Amino acid sequence: MTKTDHMPLAVPVSPRETPDAAIAMLDAEGTVMGWTHAAEQLVGYSAGEVVGRSAAHVLPPAAEDAPSASAFAEQCRAQEGWSGTVTVRHRDGHPIKMTLRISLLWGQDAVTRWLVSVTDIGTLSSGTSNGAVRESLLAHAPIGIAVYDLQLRCTWVNDVMERHDGTPPERRFGRRLRDSLPAVEAEALEVVMRQVLESGTTTVHEYRAWSSTDRRREHAFSASFFCLQDADGTAMAVCSMSVDVTGNRRARERLAILSEASTCIGSTLEVMRTGQELADLAVPLLADHAVVDLMESVPFGVDPSAVTGKANGRPPVLRRAGVASIDPGVLKLPWVRQEVIRPFPTSLFATALHTGRSYLESVLDTYSGPWVSHDPVRTQKLRDSGVHSLMVVPIRARRCVLGLAVFGRSEETTPFQEDDLLLAEELVTRAALSLDNALQYARQRTAALTLQRDLLPHHVGGGAALDVASRYVPADMDHGVGGDWFDVIKLSGARVALVVGDVVGHGINAAATMGRLRTAVRTLANMELPPHELLAHLDDTVKRLSDEDADAPDQLPPAVGATCLYAVYDPVTRRCTMARAGHPPPAIIDPQGRATFPDMPAGAPLGLGLGLVPFESVELELPEGTLLALYTDGLVESRDDDIDVGLDRLGAALAETSSSLEDLCSQVIETLPTQAPADDVTLLLARTRGLEPAQVASWELPNEPAAVPIARQAAARQLSEWGLDHLVTTEELIVSELVTNAIHYSGGPIRLRLIQHQVLTCEVSDSNPSHPRPRQPHITDENGRGLSLVAHLSRRWGSRSATDGKVVWAEQDLPSKAVAV
């Protein structure tokens, strides 16, 4: 509460109960003379059970080496009190560890009493997150104690009260507060004292007043009032314990920032920003200047423990992450963000990094010390800043030092004390937790991004069949990791497969699942399966992956689900066959710019276990120059609009047929809503190209041995027309073997086709659906070497199913000048 011009001399600020305080009053021999309700709650004894008995009644048996009661009493008299930690025995027998403070009280005729105040350590630490800090700050504060009878006349007092208001004890005894304090102050306090006597509760009353010895400056006092009970449990007196908190007002404000730290520090997962947030919070509430230096590896997501000790014993290199000062001009001195810091081996900073302990330089001497001479320039800048007191606090997390926080004072004349260091360590500890979380996140994000970059295609090309372009926009630009994937796979016969898929979820698990599915699709595509059969096998793969994860011990099975669209385009026939598994249909834009979305069976998403839901393929004829757009639902779905709105937006953006595919991709992405997309966005564009008739030659052959020389001669003539005479010999052998196998294993007509595109492809079709399998013939076998010869002569070979049988194919490389584009 701030003071106003019209505030009276004593104003109650925030009266509140403190049930954890326990007070007892003892005579000179240690007999309990007064008891409080809080004491009864703490140790279980009522006033009737302890008043009139020795205080040792509630203490456990003394250890053999413990001083006797009389010796301890003499020690307390010599020191006018005692404070420390003791164990008190509860009424039910269990021990309670407590902080205890014994204060000497004086009465009339120099009669003495003892006032004992105790607090349960467990209650202190659990009752408030800042309890330990508060206890450290106030443990040694001078406490004024006075005891008043039922008529609110002073009967007992300690020496500190005179220091509070300048009133000697002899002027207090037998008198009320109004005789030693101004009327307004006294009346406010006596109202509280009467309430305490009537209710028996403990109350804290904070007020502001002027000391009689210093009328020029307002003092702030915090007084706690306790009701002392006699053996009958009735009120016999009220005890006041007051602390002059004028000098601690700023310290109390500092404690308030501990609660702010949970929201002000670590607002993001950026380590450099977290360092700046720590510096900003510390200035000016704790220090005049603050800098935060992190290990150079931390901003890059590398654990400092992985690089510590690799610099030949030199201190690690730091990078300045945060800087704050009450004087903007000081920021131009040695404190610059992103600056690389190299502590000298003998400096205080290097020592703190090595030991992991905090250091307090209450009075900083910048003119001597071994660490000063190594950096005269920076030391001179430090002198110019006027810093006279310094704290160096290591930033530690999981037994690893992440950096240093340095706090300095220049304008504030009071040097740092131990309580300031305690508060600084608490702030740094909270920042260290945020930094460690950010470091863990950075490592996971780096791993996920690396995984995704390695799994997605680095370059897509459609060969002679398609021009292609792609875009991928993650839902979270900071994370950048999702489950979307796309691929362009070159197949035999100049055909190209287009794939777009979407795995449920985000993060490294989704990226890993995406990689497994992309690999599975590539493997299945190499088997030359029709789209609907490929999706059926892929669905089975996803189910098996889910079952394997479910069988993992002590691990809940993750939700595995995905959608996929698989399409195969043949530039020879200009036909495209496609099937989908729960995925949005493709957009097809004809050469005139008209957009359609084909009506094709949706299919069930992959891996959901919905039973035997067949996938169906649809075949479409696409004129040359047709644009195919494959995408994920994040492109057309949004929180605010229906999917039809997104489809219309996509079709309109793709209608610009004159634009290049790269420009079209950019235009489509620019049509997305301005806010971050709710899901990852993937777009794959492909513009069809057809092969010229002159690039394809085919022949129908009879199913008889005479067809072999006919096929060889036809192939030789065609290669000569294409200017590929140097391939004739090899191609004749390949044609002979493939046609011979077709005659031997099938009974229907045979078809030979040569395709010249980026490679030379030889295809032989027959009516037998069984695919050839190469084998290792024995030395005496006359057959079985044909496919081995084909594999040796060609760059690759294989077979695929056809509507009326199968196709066996083999490819040869073409010289670069002969490659048809």
Side-chain angles (χ1 to χ4, degrees):
M1 180 176 179
T2 58
K3 178 186 171 220
T4 64
D5 295 338
H6 303 287
M7 180 179 293
L9 292 181
V11 179
V13 177
S14 59
R16 60 187 184 276
E17 295 183 1
T18 55
D20 60 336
I23 300 295
M25 188 173 179
L26 315 179
D27 64 10
E29 286 72 34
T31 301
V32 179
M33 305 299 296
W35 197 246
T36 60
H37 180 66
E40 178 180 351
Q41 289 183 320
L42 187 61
V43 298
Y45 291 97
S46 65
E49 293 175 299
V50 295
V51 173
R53 304 181 66 177
S54 171
H57 180 65
V58 297
L59 296 175
E64 295 181 0
D65 57 347
S68 63
S70 59
F72 180 71
E74 289 300 326
Q75 177 184 349
C76 291
R77 288 190 184 94
Q79 300 176 355
E80 296 188 355
W82 182 86
S83 64
T85 302
V86 297
T87 301
V88 175
R89 185 177 57 196
H90 192 273
R91 191 175 187 275
D92 61 12
H94 77 270
I96 309 173
K97 191 175 183 180
M98 299 183 176
T99 59
L100 178 144
R101 185 165 188 163
I102 302 175
S103 303
L104 179 63
L105 304 182
W106 299 95
Q108 290 182 322
D109 302 326
V111 178
T112 60
R113 289 283 189 272
W114 300 102
L115 192 79
V116 181
S117 61
V118 293
T119 303
D120 184 352
I121 292 178
T123 303
L124 178 65
S125 60
S126 60
T128 171
S129 61
N130 300 331
V133 180
R134 180 178 183 273
E135 181 69 10
S136 173
L137 294 176
L138 301 181
H140 301 291
I143 298 178
I145 303 173
V147 179
Y148 302 88
D149 61 16
L150 297 180
Q151 287 73 41
L152 305 184
R153 294 172 300 194
C154 181
T155 56
W156 305 93
V157 69
N158 72 343
D159 294 335
V160 177
M161 285 300 297
E162 183 175 358
R163 281 180 272 165
H164 279 186
D165 56 19
T167 304
E170 57 271 14
R171 288 182 52 191
R172 295 181 184 273
F173 296 136
R175 299 181 182 182
R176 296 173 58 174
L177 286 174
R178 67 183 64 174
D179 296 322
S180 57
L181 293 177
V184 176
E185 298 176 2
E187 182 60 29
L189 294 177
E190 287 188 353
V191 168
V192 176
M193 293 165 67
R194 291 190 185 96
Q195 293 174 350
V196 170
L197 287 172
E198 292 174 1
S199 65
T201 58
T202 300
T203 299
V204 175
H205 186 76
E206 297 182 4
Y207 63 96
R208 301 177 189 272
W210 279 263
S211 170
S212 59
T213 58
D214 185 8
R215 304 300 297 182
R216 297 173 300 175
R217 186 164 66 99
E218 182 187 54
H219 283 235
F221 292 91
S222 177
S224 301
F225 296 92
F226 309 87
C227 179
L228 293 174
Q229 300 173 346
D230 58 17
D232 297 330
T234 58
M236 59 174 285
V238 59
C239 174
S240 167
M241 302 179 66
S242 60
V243 180
D244 187 343
V245 294
T246 305
N248 293 332
R249 187 182 305 173
R250 187 178 176 188
R252 295 171 62 192
E253 292 173 352
R254 292 182 222 152
L255 292 176
I257 70 175
L258 291 178
S259 60
E260 294 182 30
S262 59
T263 56
C264 295
I265 298 178
S267 61
T268 68
L269 289 173
E270 299 177 10
V271 293
M272 299 297 281
R273 181 170 178 177
T274 300
Q276 184 60 48
E277 289 170 344
L278 172 58
D280 290 338
L281 188 64
V283 175
L285 294 179
L286 175 62
D288 296 332
H289 318 283
V291 294
V292 178
D293 298 334
L294 299 177
M295 296 290 194
E296 193 176 31
S297 63
V298 171
F300 302 100
V302 179
D303 195 325
S305 61
V307 296
T308 300
K310 296 183 179 180
N312 299 323
R314 300 177 184 175
V317 176
L318 304 175
R319 185 172 294 275
R320 188 135 293 165
V323 55
S325 175
I326 60 173
D327 182 5
V330 173
L331 300 181
K332 300 177 183 179
L333 293 174
W335 303 319
V336 181
R337 287 199 72 198
Q338 300 289 345
E339 180 186 6
V340 174
I341 309 297
R342 291 180 173 85
F344 288 97
T346 58
S347 69
L348 185 65
F349 313 112
T351 304
L353 288 172
H354 176 70
T355 63
R357 294 195 300 268
S358 302
Y359 289 90
L360 170 64
E361 291 285 334
S362 295
V363 180
L364 180 63
D365 184 3
T366 58
Y367 292 92
S368 63
W371 62 279
V372 174
S373 59
H374 290 286
D375 193 356
V377 176
R378 195 176 296 272
T379 301
Q380 184 60 46
K381 291 181 179 181
L382 191 61
R383 293 185 191 128
D384 295 340
S385 70
V387 173
H388 60 80
S389 189
L390 199 69
M391 293 188 297
V392 181
V393 182
I395 304 172
R396 296 172 296 177
R398 296 183 295 110
R399 300 181 181 180
C400 182
V401 178
L402 303 181
L404 288 176
V406 182
F407 308 94
R409 278 183 178 171
S410 58
E411 298 297 323
E412 173 62 49
T413 58
T414 305
F416 287 123
Q417 304 296 329
E418 290 292 339
D419 58 314
D420 297 307
L421 184 61
L422 178 67
L423 183 58
E425 289 178 332
E426 178 69 18
L427 288 177
V428 171
T429 297
R430 300 189 182 200
L433 179 61
S434 298
L435 288 170
D436 187 54
N437 289 338
L439 185 60
Q440 299 270 6
Y441 161 77
R443 282 198 293 265
Q444 184 183 37
R445 178 174 180 267
T446 300
L449 285 174
T450 302
L451 175 64
Q452 188 173 48
R453 281 195 298 266
D454 290 344
L455 294 178
L456 286 178
H458 294 213
H459 171 74
V460 289
L466 300 168
D467 292 324
V468 294
S470 62
R471 288 290 188 278
Y472 171 69
V473 181
D476 190 334
M477 294 301 294
D478 292 330
H479 296 181
V481 181
D484 284 11
W485 92 90
F486 63 92
D487 213 341
V488 179
I489 307 170
K490 295 180 182 179
L491 303 176
S492 63
R495 297 172 307 127
V496 177
L498 301 173
V499 190
V500 168
D502 186 359
V503 175
V504 173
H506 301 278
I508 194 169
N509 291 334
T513 302
M514 173 270 289
R516 298 162 85 178
L517 295 187
R518 178 172 179 259
T519 302
V521 170
R522 275 194 162 265
T523 302
L524 295 171
N526 288 335
M527 296 172 62
E528 305 274 4
L529 297 174
H532 63 281
E533 291 187 23
L534 183 143
L535 291 181
H537 285 284
L538 187 62
D539 180 54
D540 182 63
T541 299
V542 175
K543 290 178 183 177
R544 283 189 283 108
L545 290 176
S546 180
D547 292 341
E548 291 174 2
D549 291 335
D551 293 338
D554 303 325
Q555 182 178 352
L556 293 175
V560 176
T563 64
C564 184
L565 173 64
Y566 184 79
V568 176
Y569 174 68
D570 187 343
V572 176
T573 62
R574 293 181 173 85
R575 302 190 69 82
C576 182
T577 307
M578 61 186 72
R580 59 181 178 139
H583 203 83
I588 300 178
I589 296 85
D590 63 20
Q592 289 72 43
R594 293 186 295 268
T596 59
F597 296 88
D599 184 14
M600 54 186 297
L606 303 171
L608 297 185
L610 299 181
L612 296 176
V613 181
F615 301 100
E616 298 182 39
S617 293
V618 172
E619 188 174 74
L620 303 173
E621 185 171 354
L622 303 179
E624 184 171 359
T626 299
L627 182 65
L628 274 172
L630 282 66
Y631 53 90
T632 54
D633 54 6
L635 182 66
V636 294
E637 293 182 353
S638 66
R639 301 182 182 93
D640 303 322
D641 297 325
D642 187 75
I643 188 173
D644 291 336
V645 176
L647 293 175
D648 292 341
R649 183 179 67 244
L650 175 62
L654 294 174
E656 299 291 336
T657 56
S658 60
S659 301
S660 68
L661 293 186
E662 290 292 336
D663 291 340
L664 273 179
C665 283
S666 300
Q667 293 172 18
V668 171
I669 297 303
E670 289 172 359
T671 64
L672 292 172
T674 55
Q675 67 270 23
D679 197 3
D680 300 330
V681 173
T682 297
L683 174 65
L684 178 62
L685 297 183
R687 183 170 282 141
T688 63
R689 293 189 295 191
L691 294 184
E692 297 295 334
Q695 294 178 254
V696 182
S698 62
W699 302 268
E700 297 291 337
L701 302 175
N703 194 323
E704 56 187 38
V708 175
I710 297 174
R712 285 201 306 265
Q713 294 171 6
R717 287 194 303 269
Q718 186 61 54
L719 291 183
S720 296
E721 291 181 10
W722 284 341
L724 302 175
D725 297 276
H726 63 289
L727 296 178
V728 169
T729 302
T730 303
E731 193 69 11
E732 283 183 331
L733 291 173
I734 294 175
V735 169
S736 295
E737 294 299 334
L738 296 184
V739 172
T740 299
N741 279 349
I743 295 173
H744 184 73
Y745 293 106
S746 68
I750 300 172
R751 187 167 183 266
L752 170 65
R753 185 168 72 168
L754 299 180
I755 306 173
Q756 180 199 15
H757 51 108
Q758 291 182 326
V759 294
L760 176 64
T761 302
C762 172
E763 296 181 346
V764 175
S765 305
D766 62 56
S767 59
N768 187 349
S770 299
H771 291 255
R773 296 289 184 268
R775 62 188 180 88
Q776 186 67 36
H778 295 290
I779 298 177
T780 57
D781 290 343
E782 297 182 359
N783 299 314
R785 294 179 175 84
L787 291 180
S788 297
L789 180 61
V790 170
H792 178 73
L793 295 175
S794 61
R795 66 189 297 270
R796 66 174 189 149
W797 76 278
S799 63
R800 65 177 184 268
S801 298
T803 304
D804 53 357
K806 69 175 180 297
V807 177
V808 182
W809 53 269
E811 295 177 350
Q812 288 194 78
D813 289 318
L814 295 176
S816 57
K817 64 180 181 179
V819 174
V821 294

